[in-house]
Amino acid sequence: FVLPCLETALVDGQDLVISAALVCLTKLVDMGLLSRSVMVESRMKDTGRHRNGLFQKYAPLILYPSPTVRHSMIEFVFTACKSLGYPDADVFLLPIFRPYLRYEPSFATIDSAKALAKYVVEPWTRDRLQTEMSRLAKKPIISPSGIQ
């Protein structure tokens, strides 16, 4: 019940709402209440289809222009790395975040969110974010069956 509410908050227009949702997700991971399959992509047993995890869906928040959202996202990633442990963090999270990193660390060597922040590329400006969102909104959506 909580996860759909948090996912709705992650796409809210208010920076503080997004940040609060990320802080909540961080606490859920820290308490061990979010499984690896929820955090990263998994294959559904009954259908064999892939389901994107939270990090596949919301990794771009690490580029968000708001320092509050960006810091909360970095804390979320760091906490997930601690929760998954080495080598799982390198295997499951590094490929997702590689496009957002200046250079590739081993998550085993990162001992704090502040250390992780040094690896992350600069945030986007609000103008760039709006431009990209407008571009994506105009992009046609193709379903798996090929029907729009």
Side-chain angles (χ1 to χ4, degrees):
F1 174 75
V2 172
L3 201 54
C5 295
L6 291 173
E7 287 197 74
T8 300
L10 290 173
V11 295
D12 194 273
Q14 297 293 317
D15 295 352
L16 290 176
V17 173
I18 298 168
S19 180
L22 288 167
V23 168
C24 185
L25 286 169
T26 301
K27 289 180 180 185
L28 289 173
V29 169
D30 200 34
M31 292 187 293
L33 297 174
L34 287 184
S35 67
R36 181 175 68 191
S37 64
V38 169
M39 290 189 277
V40 296
E41 180 180 39
S42 63
R43 182 181 293 268
M44 293 184 275
K45 291 179 183 175
D46 53 343
T47 63
R49 296 178 63 192
H50 286 279
R51 179 185 61 130
N52 284 337
L54 291 172
F55 286 111
Q56 281 91 354
K57 293 179 200 175
Y58 304 108
L61 286 174
I62 211 158
L63 297 175
Y64 203 81
S66 163
T68 306
V69 171
R70 183 176 166 88
H71 173 74
S72 298
M73 185 62 182
I74 290 170
E75 286 282 346
F76 181 36
V77 173
F78 174 70
T79 303
C81 289
K82 283 192 323 186
S83 173
L84 290 174
Y86 178 81
D88 285 355
D90 282 5
V91 171
F92 296 110
L93 291 181
L94 188 57
I96 297 167
F97 286 97
R98 190 173 286 128
Y100 311 108
L101 300 174
R102 291 182 182 149
Y103 49 94
E104 192 169 307
S106 167
F107 285 125
T109 63
I110 297 172
D111 61 351
S112 68
K114 188 175 182 179
L116 176 59
K118 293 176 183 177
Y119 290 91
V120 179
V121 298
E122 293 298 315
W124 284 3
T125 63
R126 292 234 180 240
D127 289 339
R128 182 171 180 194
L129 177 67
Q130 291 300 327
T131 301
E132 186 64 16
M133 289 174 65
S134 295
R135 183 187 69 80
L136 291 172
K138 294 175 187 173
K139 191 176 182 179
I141 298 173
I142 300 176
S143 68
S145 64
I147 300 170
Q148 292 186 14

